[in-house]
Amino acid sequence: MAWGDFTEQAAAYRLSRPSYPVELLEEILNEADLVVGDPVADLGAGTGIFSQLLLDQGLEVTAIEPNAEMRKYGEETCQVTWLDATFEQTGLPDASQKWCFAAQAFHWADVPKSLAEIRRILGPGGGFTALWNERNNGQSEILSWVQEALSRHVPDFDHDYRTRDWATELVSTGDFTMVTPLSASHTVRMSKARFLELWRSNNQLNTIAGPERLAAFFADLEDHLKTIGAEEIDVPYLCKAWTAT
């Protein structure tokens, strides 16, 4: 499995990944003065989870996704315009977008090249919002157990994007100036099967662990869920967003 290549994980991604808090999105849209019909780009759109939220708000959405398998699933379920393109080369015309978004994706980008490209495709007064769902491990006994299991099976695994200073990175090139942070908590109830797929969809974990360590982790996790009788699992998230203008 290649670093950043979700081809083998697209099905698990579509089945397991959570959506984002609608109230947080509405707050971002209000601050951005976005209205029905405004053109926006969802960069690194994956299977279209966030694109669908934008579409539900009445926006004219272009989903940018370079992975063919992820894009295929997105095209099946999310009726927006899909482009085979990247953060660094979107293929969109100059000043064509009112706003750009990246949900659970900007850590895969080349930041300097991407910020220049995003600025190019934004019209006057436009902006860029990057957001991530972060599992709130301290609020869940099961998530705390998983973190302990990961430290035993794959001690070199780490979500490095969680510790990055996004407020600084988004203004690092001079393409954007002011950054506004926002966050909202939400909880997603998952079946046991979906919870297992959630971990299978994690490219960094799968790549770093390799087949043998990954199999040992999943055997341990499945045994633990069976032992505690967990058929449904509440997964608490803190969704963090940074908006640059």
Side-chain angles (χ1 to χ4, degrees):
M1 184 174 296
W3 185 260
D5 182 356
F6 282 82
T7 300
E8 296 181 25
Q9 296 166 296
Y13 199 105
R14 181 179 68 162
L15 290 170
S16 66
R17 289 300 180 103
S19 189
Y20 302 84
V22 174
E23 63 272 19
L24 179 64
L25 174 59
E26 290 176 344
E27 187 174 358
I28 294 168
L29 300 186
N30 288 335
E31 291 291 329
D33 290 326
L34 289 168
V35 298
V36 171
D38 278 342
V40 299
D42 182 14
L43 308 173
T47 59
I49 296 170
F50 193 73
S51 298
Q52 185 63 52
L53 289 182
L54 295 172
L55 182 64
D56 291 343
Q57 294 290 328
L59 298 167
E60 182 183 319
V61 184
T62 300
I64 303 295
E65 174 51 51
N67 185 276
E69 198 70 11
M70 296 279 269
R71 199 170 58 250
K72 181 191 78 173
Y73 284 120
E75 290 170 341
E76 290 174 357
T77 58
C78 185
Q79 303 305 306
V80 300
T81 300
W82 286 86
L83 292 181
D84 177 4
T86 66
F87 282 106
E88 298 80 12
Q89 293 184 315
T90 64
L92 292 169
D94 290 356
S96 61
Q97 304 301 304
K98 182 70 181 291
W99 211 264
C100 291
F101 297 89
Q104 214 74 23
F106 198 57
H107 53 287
W108 295 111
D110 180 311
V111 170
K113 291 180 180 179
S114 299
L115 291 176
E117 174 69 356
I118 293 167
R119 181 184 182 185
R120 180 188 69 79
I121 66 176
L122 284 172
F128 171 53
T129 300
L131 64 157
W132 288 266
N133 273 321
E134 294 187 7
R135 286 180 301 278
N136 209 332
N137 298 320
Q139 293 187 0
S140 165
E141 290 185 7
I142 290 179
L143 289 183
S144 295
W145 183 93
V146 170
Q147 289 306 114
E148 189 276 330
L150 285 171
S151 69
R152 287 187 283 109
H153 291 288
V154 197
D156 43 336
F157 169 64
D158 180 36
H159 283 104
D160 60 343
Y161 67 84
R162 294 186 177 186
T163 59
R164 289 170 68 173
D165 184 354
W166 290 109
T168 298
E169 290 199 48
L170 291 179
V171 299
S172 61
T173 61
D175 292 294
F176 294 86
T177 54
M178 188 172 64
V179 175
T180 303
L182 288 171
S183 63
S185 299
H186 64 126
T187 299
V188 180
R189 174 158 287 191
M190 299 186 180
S191 66
K192 180 169 68 173
R194 180 181 176 183
F195 187 70
L196 291 168
E197 290 298 295
L198 181 67
W199 296 99
R200 292 191 178 99
S201 76
N202 190 302
N203 176 270
Q204 291 175 319
L205 171 61
N206 283 255
T207 307
I208 291 170
E212 291 184 7
R213 292 197 297 174
L214 193 67
F217 163 70
F218 273 110
D220 203 1
L221 176 56
E222 291 188 54
D223 184 63
H224 179 70
L225 295 178
K226 182 178 180 180
T227 298
I228 65 175
E231 295 301 323
E232 289 192 326
I233 300 157
D234 286 331
V235 183
Y237 288 93
L238 179 63
C239 186
K240 296 181 180 180
W242 287 264
T243 291
T245 54

